[in-house]
Amino acid sequence: MSLKGKTAIITGSNSGIGLGIARELAKAGADVVLNSFTDRDEDHALAREIAAEYGVAARYIQADMSKGDQCRALIEQAGACDILVNNAGIQHVCPIDEFPTDKWDAIIAINLTSAFHTTAVALPVMRKAGWGRIVNIASAHGLTASPYKSAYVAAKHGIVGLSKTTALETAGQGITCNAICPGYVLTPLVEAQIPDTMKKYDMDRDEVIKKVMLERQPSKEFATVEQLGGTAVFLCSDAAAQITGTTISVDGGWTAL
Ligand code: NAD
């Protein structure tokens, strides 16, 4: 599968799943645009590393996905957009009656509304080219719920709905839109939840991973960023041209339970 000549924009890709997906798309030949809200030397260095490793064009564009105008500017500044991966996301864990409003607003903005803005600007570009792939990174929490993750679960269910609507509005135009639903992947987002969970349940790190995090993941193994990247590459392939408006779970069996 060669994605040579295609440009992929991956939001929230200076770490974790986004970076893993960017690497796999670059390995498949795509030019990549990395993004996050920071503008550090190390962010730009990641793009240089990918360019050198895979022989593709790679650059980093700073844009804050909590701001609609910056989401739109990211796509415009990239200058091309054949593949759009809406991946930026944050988490906050708290009961609904204590959930801080600013955290709710930030999660909805970054995990859901950003994809509306980027998709709105990307679609005319893809329609003009007669080809496009939109891959939204939802979650097992786009299909099921857990307590204390109200904003995240709402945003992830929302992005599954947005993916279906985008698919219907682009059907037959050479464009597909799907949502990948990962189970637990050991990234900084998940690492950040471990200390609080250790305190809450009086458990050590290993117990939190096995008894709390992977409790609902029947394989008892984390999914990896490379596996998520491989799934994204598949969705960009010709074999996936008729796969649109659906979800692909990469969750070790979580949603089969
Ligand atoms: P991560 O913290 O490693 O990555 C999140 C990325 O989003 C980072 O690059 C971060 O810089 C970026 N980001 C955060 N706020 C941003 C903003 N305002 N503007 C631009 N970029 C911003 O976490 P991850 O686990 O790699 O998460 C990536 C996606 O995968 C998220 O949407 C998350 O919900 C989803 N996901 C993760 C898991 C998991 O177990 N790790 C499971 C299911 C879904």
Side-chain angles (χ1 to χ4, degrees):
M1 172 67 213
S2 175
L3 295 176
K4 209 168 163 34
K6 307 287 189 203
T7 297
I9 303 173
I10 306 100
T11 71
S13 47
N14 66 351
S15 88
I17 293 172
L19 182 56
I21 290 176
R23 284 189 189 285
E24 293 301 316
L25 288 171
K27 201 190 278 182
D31 295 330
V32 294
V33 175
L34 305 183
N35 153 264
S36 186
F37 60 94
T38 49
D39 192 19
R40 305 165 302 183
D41 286 347
E42 63 213 75
D43 297 321
H44 296 274
L46 281 173
R48 286 195 296 274
E49 260 171 50
I50 289 180
E53 194 170 347
Y54 301 112
V56 297
R59 64 202 163 111
Y60 176 87
I61 300 180
Q62 176 198 19
D64 183 344
M65 292 297 105
S66 71
K67 311 254 182 339
D69 54 346
Q70 294 192 30
C71 297
R72 288 172 183 263
L74 168 65
I75 309 300
E76 279 156 8
Q77 273 181 42
C81 182
D82 303 292
I83 297 164
L84 169 63
V85 182
N86 288 304
N87 166 79
I90 57 167
Q91 175 63 286
H92 187 73
V93 181
C94 184
I96 294 175
D97 45 335
E98 294 164 23
F99 211 96
T101 303
D102 61 336
K103 293 278 186 209
W104 172 277
D105 289 344
I107 289 175
I108 300 297
I110 296 167
N111 297 23
L112 175 59
T113 311
S114 66
F116 155 68
H117 290 296
T118 54
T119 300
V121 181
L123 282 184
V125 179
M126 291 177 174
R127 285 200 178 103
K128 202 166 167 204
W131 193 93
R133 294 287 185 270
I134 300 177
V135 179
N136 291 327
I137 306 306
S139 166
H141 283 117
L143 303 168
T144 65
S146 292
Y148 316 125
K149 295 187 175 176
S150 54
Y152 188 85
V153 169
K156 294 300 186 182
H157 276 68
I159 203 150
V160 168
L162 176 65
S163 306
K164 292 179 184 176
T165 306
T166 305
L168 293 181
E169 292 187 19
T170 55
Q173 298 169 19
I175 300 167
T176 69
C177 178
N178 294 287
I180 298 179
C181 295
Y184 273 107
V185 187
L186 195 54
T187 64
L189 181 141
V190 167
E191 275 291 349
Q193 295 173 50
I194 294 179
D196 277 356
T197 317
M198 284 169 65
K199 250 190 257 159
K200 187 170 167 203
Y201 295 109
D202 191 24
M203 288 178 175
D204 66 24
R205 182 186 157 83
D206 255 25
E207 284 177 304
V208 164
I209 289 176
K210 289 201 181 104
K211 294 186 183 157
V212 182
M213 294 190 154
L214 296 181
E215 199 254 328
R216 291 170 75 182
Q217 201 146 308
S219 66
K220 302 296 172 208
E221 289 166 5
F222 285 110
T224 66
V225 300
E226 291 78 12
Q227 290 160 354
L228 272 313
T231 308
V233 170
F234 167 67
L235 286 173
C236 294
S237 72
D238 291 341
Q242 289 300 318
I243 299 177
T244 194
T246 194
T247 57
I248 297 195
S249 292
V250 185
D251 66 1
W254 176 337
T255 46
L257 276 175

